[in-house]
Amino acid sequence: MFDFSFAELALIAIVAVVFIGPKELPVVIRAVAKAMRAMRSLAGEVRAAFDELGKESGLKDAAEEFKQDVTMIRGDDGKMYESYQLPKKDEH
């Protein structure tokens, strides 16, 4: 999630011990971990709500239909073909 090197983590630990104190450090770490879990949970709920909204609005179906339409092309014979396939000459 975060890109911290060992040196950066060590510096954060030293600053935390100096400013927070060794007795209160475990309490602060637990509080930060609890807050991060809550934020992840909230982000998951928001993502699920947007996914549900997309399903209800039909946006996902429209996107799939658009994707299929983009990959299809109408041939001279009026049939739909995948854009990378050419109709065979003997099908007329």
Side-chain angles (χ1 to χ4, degrees):
M1 188 170 140
F2 298 109
D3 269 348
F4 289 125
S5 69
F6 180 74
E8 291 168 327
L9 289 174
L11 179 64
I12 291 170
I14 291 170
V15 169
V17 168
V18 169
F19 284 106
I20 297 171
K23 290 184 180 181
E24 293 296 318
L25 191 58
V27 175
V28 171
I29 290 174
R30 279 189 217 106
V32 169
K34 185 177 180 180
M36 289 182 70
R37 279 193 301 270
M39 288 190 311
R40 284 183 183 160
S41 174
L42 179 64
E45 290 175 14
V46 169
R47 186 177 301 119
F50 275 109
D51 287 344
E52 184 66 28
L53 184 63
K55 281 182 185 177
E56 289 176 3
S57 68
L59 187 62
K60 197 170 200 170
D61 295 334
E64 285 296 321
E65 186 177 328
F66 177 74
K67 184 178 178 182
Q68 184 180 6
D69 287 346
V70 167
T71 60
M72 300 299 284
I73 189 168
R74 186 176 307 276
D76 293 335
D77 57 358
K79 294 181 182 178
M80 296 298 286
Y81 298 95
E82 290 189 39
S83 60
Y84 56 85
Q85 288 181 342
L86 295 175
K88 296 178 182 174
K89 296 286 182 184
D90 56 1
E91 283 187 357
H92 293 277

